[in-house]
Amino acid sequence: MNQQPLVSLIVPAYNEEKVIKVLLSSISKQSYQNIETVVIDDSSTDNTSKVAREFTHEVYTRKHAERSVQRNFGAKKAQGKYLVFLDSDMEVTPNLYQAMTGLNETSTSLLTKIMSIQAQTLRTGATITPEKDWNG
């Protein structure tokens, strides 16, 4: 039995076939393995769902709605102790969720702060590295 808490990654997407593969590939390379990825396809007209299904079976296509509605739907489908909301154009560093769950042992408030940080976005190029930015 896995003793690590399940982390649910919730990804709303609309016509993101060109970028979502980068995110889902980076999730598959995580050092922390107890992760579920829930993709909510907002009635895309491209191959977003097809690309997402290459990485996770939890892909839901929904009627077009606001991003917050899609995130809430994903949260209801998620089974994890922790919920992390990601944008489909992001890329996460390999040790991100290992660092986040490890910090929970010492500081819940710090974990909450960290979970609100976006790891890296392709549009801005901003990068947050757990080893540099979160170790006091």
Side-chain angles (χ1 to χ4, degrees):
M1 183 171 187
N2 196 334
Q3 297 300 314
Q4 295 178 316
L6 180 63
V7 175
S8 296
L9 308 179
I10 301 165
V11 183
Y14 178 69
N15 290 340
E16 300 288 354
E17 75 173 308
K18 294 181 180 176
V19 295
I20 197 168
K21 187 171 187 173
V22 172
L23 171 64
L24 298 175
S25 179
S26 71
I27 291 169
S28 71
K29 297 173 186 166
Q30 288 296 300
S31 59
Y32 190 85
Q33 294 296 303
N34 201 17
I35 293 174
E36 74 169 338
T37 304
V38 179
V39 176
I40 304 87
D41 180 13
D42 194 21
S43 297
S44 295
T45 58
D46 65 2
N47 290 316
T48 298
S49 285
K50 182 179 178 183
V51 173
R53 283 188 176 87
E54 294 174 17
F55 294 90
T56 180
H57 66 278
E58 292 188 66
V59 179
Y60 303 93
T61 300
R62 305 250 313 152
K63 179 180 162 186
H64 189 64
E66 294 292 325
R67 183 175 295 202
S68 59
V69 172
Q70 304 300 7
R71 286 181 174 159
N72 288 340
F73 176 82
K76 289 177 184 175
K77 293 293 185 183
Q79 301 295 312
K81 179 176 181 180
Y82 301 114
L83 303 179
V84 179
F85 297 92
L86 298 170
D87 291 331
S88 54
D89 65 345
M90 298 173 79
E91 180 177 3
V92 293
T93 58
N95 297 316
L96 180 64
Y97 302 111
Q98 186 72 44
M100 289 170 60
T101 55
L103 286 170
N104 186 46
E105 298 301 315
T106 58
S107 175
T108 302
S109 62
L110 182 56
L111 177 64
T112 302
K113 179 180 177 184
I114 291 168
M115 292 182 95
S116 69
I117 296 173
Q118 295 181 341
Q120 177 179 346
T121 64
L122 297 176
R123 291 184 179 142
T124 65
T127 301
I128 303 297
T129 306
E131 299 80 8
K132 288 189 335 191
D133 299 324
W134 300 338
N135 292 333

